[in-house]
Amino acid sequence: MRKRTVRVGIYCIIVAVIIVTAATFFHSVLAAWLGLSSYTEARLVYDGLFWGGLCGGFGVVVAVAGLLAGPPRDPECPVRLTPHLIVLAAVIFIFALLLLSSFRYPDAPGLRPGETITI
């Protein structure tokens, strides 16, 4: 097992989960911050899902290649994977928490142009 290759794969998976989380749950904040239109905001979600999936798939392939590779050339070099796996588990836990909270508390429908609020 090549621990450095597995570590790079784990980094790619972490980045993928962060991209997907930002694109799905914080797209309106990102669009307001960047000054994007509603069409571009929707495109931001699609692009975030695409690039997150691409980066995650690449990370899985690299991590599996590192797991299946032969012994490292320098066995004296210690690379600890536990902190990286803990960060990956934390990022996945945050994504799951946001996903469950989105089912429990759905967003209120926004006002269309020309609508007013009647109290």
Side-chain angles (χ1 to χ4, degrees), residues 15-63:
V15 169
V17 172
I18 290 172
I19 290 172
V20 169
T21 303
T24 55
F25 297 111
F26 303 112
H27 59 89
S28 59
V29 175
L30 289 173
W33 186 56
L34 297 173
L36 303 175
S37 66
S38 61
Y39 170 76
T40 314
E41 181 180 349
R43 186 73 186 164
L44 175 73
V45 173
Y46 294 131
D47 287 345
L49 290 174
F50 173 76
W51 287 108
L54 194 68
C55 190
F58 177 73
V60 168
V61 168
V62 169

Side-chain angles (χ1 to χ4, degrees), residues 5-6 8-13 16 53-65:
T5 307
V6 174
V8 170
I10 291 172
Y11 284 156
C12 289
I13 295 170
L54 194 68
C55 190
F58 177 73
V60 168
V61 168
V62 169
V64 168

